[in-house]
Amino acid sequence: LQGQELVDALAAMDVFAFTSQSETQGMVLTEAMAAGLPVVGLDASGVREVVVDQENGRLLYGATPPMLAAALQEYVDMSASKLKKQVAGALLTAKKFSLPVIARTALSTYKITAGDHAAHTVDIEDEGMTKVVNLIKAEWDILASAVQSGNQAISTALFGDKKSS
């Protein structure tokens, strides 16, 4: 769904259930949260970075269908005050993952990576953004390690045990 159809569908929900284990960015989760919906989701990459158990939804570890049903039932039985806190948590999370915030964080991270120390003036104190920055740094380290390993393998293949200059 897109546009008004998506808005209408989200407005008709009380909670958003997400059972995919292949969400890479969690965008559908933040869209649901922007509509004020707590999310019940399975622990997976892209989900665990967005859903904070008992704060903006339920993050289910090793979930079975009965566990998912029980978590959804919690929202049927939830007190109005607890639901209000979860909705507030969902809305706050959506703001943390909004396009302007993510763009500023990405730009700052790229500047830091490129060695522009002036980029440190961008405020990345929020826990969600810190996780994003740490994930980007980890990916960068993995890539750098793979490149170094590839260079060593090529050097060994071309020059044997001698180091290339």
Side-chain angles (χ1 to χ4, degrees):
L1 300 176
Q2 295 179 358
Q4 192 59 46
E5 287 181 324
L6 176 59
V7 171
D8 293 344
L10 292 172
M13 298 178 195
D14 297 313
V15 63
F16 188 82
F18 188 77
T19 59
S20 174
Q21 292 186 312
S22 62
E23 177 69 19
T24 56
Q25 298 176 355
M27 291 175 66
V28 67
L29 305 173
T30 57
E31 287 174 350
M33 289 182 178
L37 297 173
V39 172
V40 174
L42 304 183
D43 178 44
S45 179
V47 180
R48 74 178 65 97
E49 289 78 22
V50 177
V51 179
V52 179
D53 196 46
Q54 302 293 341
E55 289 184 26
N56 60 11
R58 290 296 320 276
L59 185 60
L60 305 177
Y61 304 91
T64 62
M67 289 170 66
L68 177 64
L72 292 170
Q73 185 64 44
E74 286 179 33
Y75 285 90
V76 172
D77 300 335
M78 191 173 284
S79 70
S81 64
K82 186 172 181 182
L83 181 58
K84 187 176 180 180
K85 287 179 185 177
Q86 293 247 338
V87 167
L91 292 168
L92 181 61
T93 299
K95 285 182 184 177
K96 290 177 185 179
F97 287 95
S98 68
L99 220 54
V101 171
I102 294 295
R104 275 195 316 271
T105 301
L107 179 60
S108 175
T109 302
Y110 292 136
K111 285 182 177 181
I112 292 167
T113 303
D116 181 353
H117 299 291
H120 292 286
T121 60
V122 176
D123 187 12
I124 309 177
E125 68 183 49
D126 134 352
E127 183 180 329
M129 292 302 103
T130 300
K131 287 181 184 179
V132 171
V133 170
N134 289 338
L135 286 170
I136 292 170
K137 286 179 182 177
E139 291 291 332
W140 179 264
D141 290 343
I142 291 168
L143 179 61
S145 178
V147 169
Q148 183 179 10
S149 296
N151 284 340
Q152 288 174 347
I154 291 169
S155 177
T156 301
L158 292 175
F159 304 107
D161 289 337
K162 297 178 184 177
K163 290 186 177 184
S164 63
S165 53

